[in-house]
Amino acid sequence: MNTIRQLIKKAIPTVIPQRLFLVHGTPGQQSTDLQDKQKRPNVNVSFTFDDGPHPEYTPRLLDTLNQYHQRGTFFVIGEKAQQHPELIERIIDEGHEIGNHTFSHSEPSETSTRHFLDEIKQTDQLLTQITGRAPDLARPPKGKLTVGKILGLWLQRHTVVLWDTDPRDYLMQDIKAITDWCQQYCPQEGNICLMHDNHPYADEAVKQLSERQDVHIQSHIVSHWLAHKSYQSIINQQVVT
Ligand SMILES: [Zn+2]
């Protein structure tokens, strides 16, 4: 069953526009230099952080992102955002991005389409109160969707964002586990990396990935990939019409 799900996950992005469903940023759309000052090859990715904000780990992670000039997308849980609106404001103020990760993170298999979409709407309303606008991006808990849920997200004008890189930081028990992963990770242009800011290791991962000697990993907000896409489609439309 898992294999079938993986195949579907791989096939969907090839037939559905990125504006609707994003698993991987389009390679080669960056115009930044191919090398940094230390002659490391540049690879552009997106770090994403789910299940926060967390009163201890999220501020620490934001400090680290700033220190290394990285940008991230935070898929926040509504009830946690309600408890820590100041962290939502800080995320936005520091140039990062917020996405909707439902209100209570209820178990997907036990959550009806209607309840799921109600939670998305409730979280949109809350985030609008805090930031002044509803997020464009949404990510379902555990990345699990049904046809009804995905259509509902599109009707609510959300881009569904999954990932292609998963260190499974939520299962890690010590620093060595994240260090091992950071060393063996071969970054590819457009990778969307799933991490969790309700666990301590996302911060360490950002630090270690930013300090890699063999490659310069530059993280952008997820909308970075969509902005280009949108711009490109406008250009194409103008050429056609
Ligand atoms: Zn989650």
Side-chain angles (χ1 to χ4, degrees):
M1 190 61 187
N2 260 342
T3 313
I4 294 170
R5 195 180 298 136
Q6 288 301 322
L7 280 172
I8 292 171
K9 195 174 152 186
K10 278 189 180 161
I12 284 179
T14 63
V15 291
I16 296 178
Q18 281 192 323
R19 174 60 64 185
L20 296 178
F21 193 90
L22 189 66
V23 176
H24 184 95
T26 305
Q29 61 192 43
Q30 259 297 309
S31 57
T32 52
D33 295 339
L34 295 174
Q35 292 182 335
D36 73 345
K37 286 175 188 159
Q38 297 167 38
K39 304 272 184 210
R40 297 177 297 178
N42 271 320
V43 180
N44 300 287
V45 303
S46 288
F47 296 153
T48 65
F49 308 102
D50 287 14
D51 297 359
H54 184 282
E56 180 185 349
Y57 301 138
T58 305
R60 194 194 303 169
L61 173 62
L62 286 166
D63 289 345
T64 302
L65 288 165
N66 278 339
Q67 183 186 344
Y68 291 99
H69 307 289
Q70 302 285 16
R71 292 288 172 269
T73 298
F74 290 75
F75 288 93
V76 300
I77 297 174
E79 61 187 19
K80 293 189 181 177
Q82 197 168 42
Q83 290 164 20
H84 305 288
E86 73 288 354
L87 290 177
I88 301 297
E89 287 174 352
R90 186 178 162 193
I91 288 168
I92 296 291
D93 288 348
E94 296 183 5
H96 309 290
E97 180 177 36
I98 296 284
N100 186 328
H101 197 43
T102 73
F103 197 80
S104 70
H105 206 278
S106 55
E107 173 59 36
S109 61
E110 295 167 8
T111 307
S112 69
T113 299
R114 184 169 181 173
H115 183 83
F116 169 80
L117 294 173
D118 282 348
E119 284 208 18
I120 291 284
K121 197 170 174 184
Q122 188 182 3
T123 306
D124 273 349
Q125 287 168 346
L126 174 73
L127 293 172
T128 303
Q129 282 170 18
I130 300 171
T131 69
R133 67 184 293 263
D136 297 324
L137 312 178
R139 176 178 277 169
K142 301 183 178 178
K144 290 188 177 170
L145 283 165
T146 61
V147 172
K149 287 176 183 175
I150 203 168
L151 290 175
L153 285 172
W154 290 342
L155 284 172
Q156 292 186 14
R157 297 178 178 274
H158 287 298
T159 301
V160 178
V161 182
L162 299 185
W163 59 88
D164 63 2
T165 303
D166 182 3
R168 296 178 171 240
D169 59 332
Y170 55 93
L171 293 176
M172 290 175 178
Q173 303 292 328
D174 53 33
I175 293 279
K176 184 181 179 307
I178 195 70
T179 300
D180 288 348
W181 184 84
C182 289
Q183 287 174 355
Q184 62 79 38
Y185 168 52
C186 296
Q188 303 288 316
E189 186 84 1
N191 276 166
I192 295 177
C193 182
L194 169 65
M195 294 183 266
H196 295 81
D197 59 326
N198 63 330
H199 286 270
Y201 300 114
D203 173 56
E204 187 64 27
V206 169
K207 182 171 181 286
Q208 292 197 24
L209 293 174
S210 302
E211 290 182 352
R212 285 262 298 246
Q213 295 298 307
D214 58 330
V215 61
H216 176 234
I217 299 173
Q218 179 65 58
S219 175
H220 304 266
I221 59 173
V222 164
S223 289
H224 161 84
W225 308 103
L226 299 170
H228 176 89
K229 203 76 186 171
S230 161
Y231 173 73
Q232 199 59 45
S233 49
I234 290 166
I235 296 291
N236 287 345
Q237 260 178 9
Q238 285 177 342
V239 169
V240 171
T241 53

